[in-house]
Amino acid sequence: MRTIDWAGDAIEMIDQTSLPDRLEVLRITTVAGLVEAIRRLAVRGAPALGVAGALGVALAARTGESIDALRAARPTAVNLAWGVDQAAARLPDAEAALKRALEIRDADIAACVAMGVRGADLVETFAERPVRVMTICNTGGLAAVERGTALGVVQTLHERGRLAEALALETRPLLQGARLTTWELARMGARHRLVADSAGPFLLARGHADVVLTGADRIAANGDTANKIGTYALALGARRAGVPFVVVAPESTIDAGTSSGDKIEIEDRGAGEVVTIRGVQVAPEGTRALNPAFDVTPRDLITAIVTEDRVWRPR
Ligand code: MRU
């Protein structure tokens, strides 16, 4: 099923906070409900947020709610504001706004297929034999509408018989890798192992992966890329180990209005997610914490950025 879709008069989405324990579908009928779902990461991942933003405008056109809170619900993934703006440009015509939102949904599905092919073609040039891929966070169908970006490349490699193994970083604090990426890899039937985040760079140094594939939440005009926290450490480790580091993202994630990575706003999600793991307190009561949800990988550490249209080598 699709991660997010329009269902006649409401948005339907997989509640990603329930996975991997339960596959539950949420029916969202108000913008306020959508904002709440985005903030608690029931729907997440840059491409899915773009579709959520656009469909949210279609909802707003029906309920009369403001779209300001929707546009600002999460600040780092540029796709959310982009999707809102794309559909809002058709207001006050509610049907035209919905039509634009559905176009964005369909374009995302096609873009993910194209990125999968282009990315797999590139990765196949890195090794003669089936490849071992390392990835972080969740960039699969759950992060888009149907198929995903970096994990879409993994899926294409798997379908071609060219995937030896995927190593998924667990992705603290919210464990998108442990909860969601392993769930998707298992459903694909792809061989995979879960890795603690801190083991990633060392495993690269020991030659356990042929390529690192990640998604992106915002790519600055110069190629600096914001993605899930931990990506920068992986890029440093990949550079030191001589392993290609490839970003896979749709063109809509490239933000021409942001010149470089230091201008990208990084979402701070508060201490609660760090001092707990899935609701269980793991630090002494009262422990203070820092929780940047994303980091920025400078373009000189990026081998290539694969989009639906091109392979961009920003360095
Ligand atoms: O906080 P999240 O789970 O929304 O973060 C998601 C990521 O960092 C992904 O890597 C990125 O959005 C690309 S998803 C194809």
Side-chain angles (χ1 to χ4, degrees):
M1 71 170 291
R2 289 178 174 167
T3 297
I4 181 166
D5 208 349
W6 183 252
D9 55 357
I11 299 173
E12 282 190 350
M13 62 172 73
I14 294 175
D15 184 348
Q16 299 189 37
T17 62
S18 300
L19 288 171
D21 308 329
R22 296 175 309 281
L23 180 57
E24 290 178 346
V25 175
L26 291 175
R27 188 175 166 83
I28 306 271
T29 55
T30 64
V31 175
L34 179 60
V35 170
E36 192 261 340
I38 291 172
R39 289 201 178 127
R40 69 183 182 86
L41 272 53
V43 59
R44 47 146 297 281
L49 289 173
V51 176
L55 291 175
V57 173
L59 266 189
R62 285 167 160 71
T63 64
E65 291 163 283
S66 162
I67 53 173
D68 294 348
L70 174 62
R71 197 176 185 284
R74 296 193 72 193
T76 304
V78 70
N79 303 61
L80 176 60
W82 175 85
V84 169
D85 292 347
Q86 288 284 316
R90 305 292 169 90
L91 293 176
D93 185 338
E95 283 314 306
L98 174 60
K99 183 165 174 286
R100 182 67 190 123
L102 298 180
E103 283 168 7
I104 289 171
R105 174 201 64 188
D106 294 344
D108 180 73
I109 293 169
C112 287
V113 171
M115 282 182 272
V117 171
R118 200 179 297 281
D121 288 349
L122 176 70
V123 169
E124 287 194 25
T125 68
F126 298 149
E128 295 279 311
R129 52 181 166 69
V131 290
R132 301 159 306 160
V133 175
M134 184 176 284
T135 190
I136 185 168
C137 197
N138 171 268
T139 60
L142 290 169
V145 178
E146 277 187 3
R147 211 174 151 93
T149 61
L151 207 66
V153 173
V154 172
Q155 185 173 351
T156 305
L157 288 165
H158 174 59
E159 288 162 357
R160 291 180 182 180
R162 292 299 308 271
L163 180 73
E165 179 176 45
L167 294 176
L169 266 63
E170 60 179 349
T171 320
R172 269 284 283 154
L174 294 182
L175 299 171
Q176 290 93 329
R179 294 187 302 107
L180 307 177
T181 300
T182 53
W183 185 79
E184 288 202 54
L185 287 164
R187 281 166 68 104
M188 298 175 204
R191 183 179 150 81
H192 63 279
R193 283 185 282 180
L194 183 63
V195 171
D197 295 328
S198 45
F202 177 67
L203 289 173
L204 292 174
R206 286 285 170 105
H208 285 267
D210 304 300
V211 61
V212 176
L213 292 174
T214 79
D217 287 87
R218 186 182 299 243
I219 300 172
N222 72 345
D224 294 346
T225 294
N227 192 51
K228 179 54 57 193
I229 192 73
T231 304
Y232 175 44
L234 215 47
L236 288 167
R239 169 53 61 85
R240 174 77 189 221
V243 173
F245 181 92
V246 176
V247 173
V248 187
E251 291 283 333
S252 55
T253 302
I254 300 172
D255 179 11
T258 297
S259 56
S260 59
D262 54 341
K263 311 260 187 337
I264 297 176
E265 182 183 348
I266 299 297
E267 178 182 3
D268 185 325
R269 292 189 55 84
E273 294 176 353
V274 180
V275 299
T276 61
I277 296 181
R278 298 207 85 187
V280 177
Q281 182 85 19
V282 291
E285 278 300 333
T287 300
R288 296 161 65 226
L290 276 175
N291 186 12
F294 303 96
D295 57 28
V296 176
T297 299
R299 64 177 173 175
D300 61 283
L301 296 178
I302 298 172
T303 308
I305 297 172
V306 176
T307 77
E308 66 273 38
D309 292 339
R310 57 188 163 139
V311 175
W312 175 23
R313 296 176 192 271
R315 75 169 188 251

